[in-house]
Amino acid sequence: MAQLSDDCFAFGGPMMSVDEAVGLIATRVNAIADIETVALVEADGRVLARDVAAPLPLPPFTNSAVDGYAVRNADIPQAAERAFALDGRIQAGGLAQAPIRPGHTARIFTGAPMPPDAETVFMQEDVRIDDSGKIVLPSGLKPGANVRPAGEDIPEGHIALRAGQRLRPQHVALAAAFGLVGLDVVRRVRVAVFSTGNELASPGEPRAASQLFDSNRFMLMAMLRRLGCEVSDLGILRDERISLANGLKQVAGSHDLILTTGGVSTGEEDHVKAAVESIGSLVLWRMAIKPGRPVAMGIIDGTPLIGLPGNPVASFVTFVHVVRPTVLALAGALPEPLLPIPVRAAFSYKKKSGRREYVRVSLRRAQDGRLEAVKFPREGAGLLSSLVETDGLVELGESITQVGPGQDVGFLSYADLL
Ligand code: AMP
Ligand code: MG
């Protein structure tokens, strides 16, 4: 497990910006050192552990980009069209039997290797065949046209994939194009997930009249899995310091991260703080973010703990800004900053300066084709429907104090967050 020092999350100021929090995490969290090899079919979503240098050029050999006729550059007709004798036929997967002779052309198909000495291909649509069966090529084609030189995509030896890359289908495709059967990736980040609260019942269990079903745990586990984590579902811990402390202590040694939800406000019945302090160290990060609540950052036996607020929307938003960068850092992934896309606001909104706010919005296409963000009509940070019925978050930076209809705002799609 990645060991961290007890004071690694210590922070000087009373309030921290989202960027400060993300920056602090990136410098304080150590990446997991364990590497495993996975088959290409299992590689999507994993974090590459080592650079991959191209073991061969791509394409591996010079080939035709079209169906047509190959000639030497010296034979390209200059002033007028010219008839050529046909000599040879090269299909994809085939090889020319001999170099192309001056004044001759070879029939060639897309992806077939160029015959030796041939440098240019005429597209079959631009060519006609005369009565004697000769191939008439037009004048004026650029030397080298319609040919894909070996290595034009990627030269041999080029570092084509970087350590820390979170693999997507196109990265897997590149590894396959190199003929690799597997990739070295960082072991999955192991995360222990607990909900806390006497008011929670697990789905499938009886629910007392004063209880609600635990939804955060399932949301957080799903979010973690999307980030490639191996998740241990540890159920619900009751609001009681000793059992919380025991529960947390037990999993510290076998996980890279402990994630809890609920019980980290400063109320009398918020016991996570006291429980962690009794077995490790804990600081509350007050982030200048809405929706959001203080986030608990702790260390138990060298293992980081993040205590998210219980409110579902606050839990979701703080996950994105604290848990996501932590998981990426643990996985040794290169930072993936969230880049909001400009859309047009179709709402008015006022906010305090000095705090970043996230507005839940749906997108629609306006008459002029631009995308417009429509704000969810209600504000509550406990409304799960506000996450379910919207497409993403509009990010309003610290310096903004108000937004009006027609103004450009930055939009983060839920699909891009994980
Ligand atoms: P807390 O952060 O413990 O003060 O909880 C704040 C609010 O979030 C309370 O209304 C809780 O009932 C609710 N809440 C806490 N944990 C969960 C959970 N796991 N699932 C759904 N709601 C929760
Ligand atoms: Mg609680």
Side-chain angles (χ1 to χ4, degrees), residues 196-197 199 239 262-263 269-270:
T196 73
E199 78 279 33
D239 284 323
E269 294 301 328
D270 292 317

Side-chain angles (χ1 to χ4, degrees), residues 195-196 199-200 212-217 261-265 270 309-312:
S195 288
T196 73
E199 78 279 33
L200 302 175
L212 43 89
F213 286 119
D214 174 6
S215 55
N216 288 357
R217 184 160 42 102
T261 167
V264 289
S265 305
D270 292 317
N311 239 317

Side-chain angles (χ1 to χ4, degrees), residues 64-71 105-110 120-128 135-138 141-142 145-147:
S64 177
V66 297
D67 290 349
Y69 295 86
V71 294
T105 186
R107 183 79 169 111
I108 193 163
F109 296 91
T110 306
T120 297
V121 178
F122 283 78
M123 282 173 77
Q124 62 187 23
E125 292 84 341
D126 298 337
V127 166
R128 67 185 175 82
I135 311 301
V136 182
L137 305 181
L141 191 62
K142 215 171 97 217
N146 301 318
V147 171

Side-chain angles (χ1 to χ4, degrees), residues 379-403:
E379 303 260 329
L383 304 174
L384 261 183
S385 61
S386 69
L387 292 176
V388 169
E389 293 172 17
T390 52
D391 300 313
L393 304 170
V394 158
E395 180 179 281
L396 300 176
E398 284 79 353
S399 62
I400 295 174
T401 54
Q402 66 176 53
V403 175

Side-chain angles (χ1 to χ4, degrees), residues 25-50:
I25 289 164
T27 57
R28 302 292 166 82
V29 172
N30 306 327
I32 293 168
D34 305 343
I35 293 174
E36 59 197 31
T37 305
V38 291
L40 288 194
V41 287
E42 305 296 336
D44 183 42
R46 303 298 300 268
V47 176
L48 193 62
R50 300 184 222 281

Side-chain angles (χ1 to χ4, degrees), residues 122-328:
F122 283 78
M123 282 173 77
Q124 62 187 23
E125 292 84 341
D126 298 337
V127 166
R128 67 185 175 82
I129 301 176
D130 71 11
D131 296 342
S132 66
K134 285 209 161 173
I135 311 301
V136 182
L137 305 181
S139 65
L141 191 62
K142 215 171 97 217
N146 301 318
V147 171
R148 301 186 283 218
E152 90 166 344
D153 185 2
I154 298 179
E156 184 173 346
H158 176 74
I159 303 296
L161 295 171
R162 293 268 169 202
Q165 174 68 53
R166 227 173 6 136
L167 298 170
R168 295 176 179 278
Q170 56 268 44
H171 304 117
V172 179
L174 189 56
F178 290 150
L180 303 177
V181 295
L183 285 169
D184 289 344
V185 298
V186 180
R187 163 172 75 62
R188 286 187 191 278
V189 179
R190 295 182 188 135
V191 187
V193 181
F194 293 96
S195 288
T196 73
N198 291 345
E199 78 279 33
L200 302 175
S202 269
E205 287 173 3
R207 182 186 66 83
S210 61
Q211 288 188 311
L212 43 89
F213 286 119
D214 174 6
S215 55
N216 288 357
R217 184 160 42 102
F218 295 88
M219 176 177 77
L220 298 173
M221 291 194 298
M223 292 175 96
L224 289 165
R225 289 214 174 91
R226 285 197 176 210
L227 290 175
C229 299
E230 185 181 305
V231 178
S232 304
D233 177 1
L234 293 157
I236 301 166
L237 291 174
R238 296 302 157 198
D239 284 323
E240 198 273 308
R241 187 175 61 84
I242 308 278
S243 59
L244 273 164
N246 289 340
L248 298 173
K249 177 109 183 147
Q250 240 172 38
V251 299
S254 51
H255 292 82
D256 304 298
L257 175 67
I258 303 169
L259 184 63
T260 66
T261 167
V264 289
S265 305
T266 39
E268 281 166 43
E269 294 301 328
D270 292 317
H271 298 283
V272 172
K273 185 168 182 282
V276 178
E277 277 169 342
S278 72
I279 50 172
S281 69
L282 184 127
V283 288
L284 282 182
W285 278 7
R286 288 183 58 233
M287 291 166 61
I289 183 173
K290 186 186 170 188
R293 301 284 307 164
V295 175
M297 303 294 290
I299 302 289
I300 301 171
D301 295 339
T303 299
L305 169 139
I306 300 176
L308 296 180
N311 239 317
V313 181
S315 195
F316 184 90
V317 170
T318 49
F319 181 100
V320 169
H321 291 101
V322 179
V323 180
R324 177 184 185 274
T326 304
V327 165
L328 292 180

